[in-house]
Amino acid sequence: MPLDAPDRPAFLLLHGWQHHRPDGHWLRRLDGRLSDAGHDSSYPQLPDPDRPDLPAWLDALDERLTALRGREIVVVCHSLGCLLWLHAVARRPGRVLAGRVLLVAPPAPQTAAGHPEIAAFAHSGVTARDVAAAAPGGTRLVASDNDPYCPEGALAVFATPLGLDSDLLPGSAHLDLDAGYGPWPAVLDWCLDPAVRVVPAASSPGAGHVVAD
């Protein structure tokens, strides 16, 4: 079977606020590794990431999902990209949007609401039923226990109310380059096998430690 066969999953990677697809970031590395292995991977630069407009980002996401219609889609979101995904899910209750989803380091709605540039992303109104329907293969949360953008704790803010399986990575802050998240093989492993638990990057402070749900 050719590597780009249409019955193989297509991957869509969604970045966050102030993200310009920097060299070395784990999302950029993930896109490269998937593409090098012959997978269909899309890592779009969303419009005006420094001053993101929710409708514009939703339109960009819709365009990508439409282009992949008929394929199994695996979505990987980081930071504000997670809130974007939850808004997309909330406005289409009961509709299947993807096969599987990984939400990495979502900022708390209260935190987003405190920044005028991203306040519109804060409260999606999404429910656990919406999330389950949108990705029948499961939505998984990966977060740190000391993320400054989610001081209330991602398990309490997202995992419990939305019924998400989760991997808690101690001491890994916002799971970004500053926290040592350049190479992160565990996310590639999850992309290819949803049964894999996501563990910290080797260069992160939390390497060697993981607390599962």
Side-chain angles (χ1 to χ4, degrees), residues 5-199:
D7 57 347
R8 289 169 57 90
F11 297 89
L12 176 59
L13 316 184
L14 301 175
H15 65 72
W17 182 28
Q18 300 177 334
H19 182 101
H20 295 267
R21 300 190 299 180
D23 288 337
H25 191 281
W26 64 268
L27 271 177
R28 184 160 183 170
R29 289 174 176 270
L30 176 63
D31 178 58
R33 293 287 301 278
L34 289 167
S35 297
D36 288 348
H39 295 283
D40 184 352
S41 179
S42 177
Y43 173 36
Q45 179 71 75
L46 296 170
D48 196 2
D50 295 320
R51 298 189 65 85
D53 176 71
L54 177 59
W57 276 33
L58 285 168
D59 287 347
L61 174 55
D62 282 347
E63 181 180 343
R64 296 288 171 161
L65 293 175
T66 298
L68 296 171
R69 186 172 295 162
R71 304 280 303 276
E72 178 188 354
I73 305 171
V74 177
V75 180
V76 178
C77 312
H78 180 240
S79 191
L80 195 65
C82 300
L83 300 189
L84 169 66
W85 179 257
L86 295 178
H87 274 274
V89 169
R91 72 176 186 164
R92 291 180 175 83
R95 180 174 170 183
V96 176
L97 299 182
R100 298 187 279 125
V101 177
L102 194 69
L103 302 176
V104 179
Q110 294 86 342
T111 301
H115 294 274
E117 300 91 337
I118 60 171
F121 289 76
H123 299 289
S124 67
V126 75
T127 68
R129 180 176 294 181
D130 296 335
V131 171
T139 296
R140 187 165 199 86
L141 172 72
V142 179
S144 172
D145 61 355
N146 67 336
D147 187 342
Y149 293 99
C150 194
E152 302 92 333
L155 299 189
V157 175
F158 295 101
T160 299
L162 297 180
L164 306 179
D165 290 334
S166 59
D167 293 305
L168 186 65
L169 311 186
S172 294
H174 197 49
L175 298 165
D176 54 12
L177 273 172
D178 289 342
Y181 282 80
W184 194 5
V187 176
L188 175 63
D189 293 342
W190 177 87
C191 285
L192 303 179
D193 180 358
V196 169
R197 308 305 294 260
V198 180
V199 299

